[in-house]
Amino acid sequence: MVWIKKECAVLPSEITDERVFNGRRRFIQAAGIISSVSMAPQIFAGTRDTGKVLRYDGKVDHSQIPPGWLVKKLNAAKPGVYSTNEQATPYEYITQYNNFYEFGSDKGDPAANGKDFNSDPWSVVISGEAEITGKIALEDILKPHDLEERIYRLRCVEAWSMVVPWIGFPLADLIKRFKPTSDAKFVRFETLYDPKQMPGQRSRFTSIDYPYVEGLRIDEAVNELAFIAVGVYGNSLPPQNGAPLRLVIPWKYGFKSIKSIAKITFTKKRPRTTWEKAGPREYGFYANVNPEVDHPRWSQATERRLPSSLFSPNRIETIAFNGYGPQVAYLYADMDLKRYF
Ligand code: MTE
């Protein structure tokens, strides 16, 4: 595993799934990243073809057309400085192997049951210990932010992992706009509650409470790596990945990366989060990736890097903080991470 932070570290050319990502090459050329085409115009807008969401088989998904203003922003996204140079996981795994209990608990359920999910129009309610609060339309949430691509590792608490090329912007930049007061010690996030659209929320057999809630300490939330994603693989987020906007916290287990965010609240007290409530011995509030603290029912020392199969498990060692220690370990310098897991 290599962590890199340098100018143009993104290396989008490593994303090889051309079948589903045919607009990308033009993007790379326009960015002048491939030296042989470095004379290509330095113009981003309009050079990519992101006005559509592609299904795992490479066909256009006509039920999920992002609004024009979002297409424009996605088209203008630039390679960010925070990325891994590891091979990105193919699009079909990222969009077909999901955890999104609101659409069912099997890995294929979110893609199947979320395909008609309507996330336009969308708004986010901001409340709590902040000077600026209220209900804000998605377009206004995104307006001041330039989008960038970050290729992050995602490590699920279930001991599988992926490498995902997200498009989005730093969570810190969003938080600053609301001017949290000195009483804001935590940030609480809530997923949309809409049982009509989300079958998992009306199921009698659900193992978790809804709406799904996550939270971060405010200093974690403004760390440079905390990210709001609105796209993946150059396109807008499909429903199963958390359309229209989600959190991505790459040094923590995937369940902290809450999807389809409808509420953000600044709080004095630590919020009670969904998985912590469902199984406090198994899922902690901090949930930092830690190979030394096993889940009570399985080891966290290794992970299956997807694609993986029975005969080719692709098992790799798990690294503390998912390899992002240089950027985040300071946040936990005085803490016993076995106790605060
Ligand atoms: N957010 C909501 N609202 N509901 C969920 O069930 N699952 C989490 C997280 N965010 C979940 C969620 C878990 S356990 C993981 S591993 C990641 O989403 C998976 O993200 P992905 O499906 O995009 O890979």
Side-chain angles (χ1 to χ4, degrees):
M1 299 244 186
V2 188
W3 164 262
I4 46 174
K5 184 200 171 193
K6 58 184 164 77
E7 281 307 309
C8 276
V10 166
L11 301 180
S13 54
E14 288 191 346
I15 297 170
T16 52
D17 202 347
E18 288 162 16
R19 187 166 54 95
V20 296
F21 203 33
N22 48 19
R24 166 160 283 276
R25 198 161 171 82
R26 274 177 288 148
F27 172 45
I28 294 164
Q29 288 172 350
I33 289 162
I34 296 175
S35 55
S36 63
V37 292
S38 58
M39 296 303 287
Q42 300 289 306
I43 299 164
F44 286 83
T47 57
R48 291 160 81 204
D49 191 12
T50 51
K52 27 173 123 71
V53 168
L54 299 173
R55 294 192 323 224
Y56 67 98
D57 57 5
K59 300 220 171 85
V60 176
D61 183 346
H62 290 287
S63 70
Q64 297 295 330
I65 306 292
W69 61 264
L70 180 55
V71 173
K72 259 197 205 149
K73 287 198 83 91
L74 289 164
N75 279 338
K78 301 204 166 87
V81 293
Y82 293 103
S83 278
T84 169
N85 59 6
E86 288 160 79
Q87 178 77 51
T89 304
Y91 186 79
E92 54 261 53
Y93 285 85
I94 293 173
T95 56
Q96 296 289 295
Y97 190 92
N98 298 101
N99 278 335
F100 198 170
Y101 275 50
E102 284 84 339
F103 293 110
S105 56
D106 286 346
K107 294 291 182 278
D109 286 347
N113 299 333
K115 66 179 183 342
D116 298 323
F117 180 60
N118 184 6
S119 60
D120 180 28
W122 191 270
S123 54
V124 180
V125 175
I126 312 295
S127 63
E129 312 292 338
E131 284 177 31
I132 297 169
T133 56
K135 186 172 173 176
I136 308 180
L138 182 66
E139 189 172 357
D140 296 325
I141 293 263
L142 295 193
K143 208 173 269 165
H145 304 284
D146 291 334
L147 302 185
E148 60 181 275
E149 181 179 75
R150 293 189 183 188
I151 306 173
Y152 275 160
R153 291 179 288 274
L154 174 89
R155 168 61 157 87
C156 180
V157 74
E158 296 164 343
W160 52 264
S161 64
M162 301 190 193
V163 177
V164 187
W166 302 109
I167 292 189
F169 60 97
L171 174 63
D173 292 350
L174 182 66
I175 285 182
K176 278 178 211 149
R177 279 170 60 196
F178 307 128
K179 303 196 168 132
T181 68
S182 57
D183 281 337
K185 306 287 187 229
F186 296 89
V187 193
R188 178 185 185 277
F189 301 86
E190 203 176 289
T191 294
L192 180 73
Y193 184 70
D194 186 355
K196 277 204 191 101
Q197 287 210 77
M198 296 175 145
Q201 291 180 338
R202 39 175 212 267
S203 163
R204 284 191 292 132
F205 304 104
T206 175
S207 49
I208 58 174
D209 282 352
Y210 299 106
Y212 193 102
V213 171
E214 257 311 332
L216 296 168
R217 246 173 29 201
I218 192 102
D219 57 341
E220 296 179 306
V222 298
N223 179 273
E224 58 201 338
L225 296 185
F227 201 57
I228 293 276
V230 294
V232 64
Y233 257 114
N235 296 291
S236 62
L237 285 178
Q240 62 267 35
N241 292 96
L245 82 168
R246 68 172 294 171
L247 212 56
V248 182
I249 307 295
W251 70 97
K252 292 178 179 281
Y253 291 122
F255 66 85
K256 299 295 290 184
S257 294
I258 182 172
K259 296 177 173 181
S260 304
I261 297 167
K263 277 189 193 166
I264 300 177
T265 313
F266 297 93
T267 65
K268 285 185 193 154
K269 282 173 66 185
R270 196 175 96 176
R272 279 200 83 200
T273 55
T274 295
W275 281 104
E276 194 191 5
K277 236 161 109 183
R281 285 186 52 255
E282 307 195 4
Y283 310 101
F285 173 81
Y286 283 95
N288 292 312
V289 174
N290 191 344
E292 287 172 17
V293 176
D294 286 340
H295 186 279
R297 289 181 278 137
W298 58 84
S299 162
Q300 294 291 25
T302 63
E303 65 203 51
R304 273 186 311 120
R305 171 63 54 84
L306 301 182
S308 114
S309 68
L310 201 57
F311 300 110
S312 179
N314 202 17
R315 202 159 268 290
I316 58 175
E317 279 184 15
T318 291
I319 300 180
F321 301 114
N322 204 18
Y324 298 100
Q327 284 70 38
V328 302
Y330 73 93
L331 291 165
Y332 314 102
D334 302 326
M335 286 172 62
D336 174 357
L337 293 178
K338 292 204 162 112
R339 180 158 174 226
Y340 296 103
F341 60 88

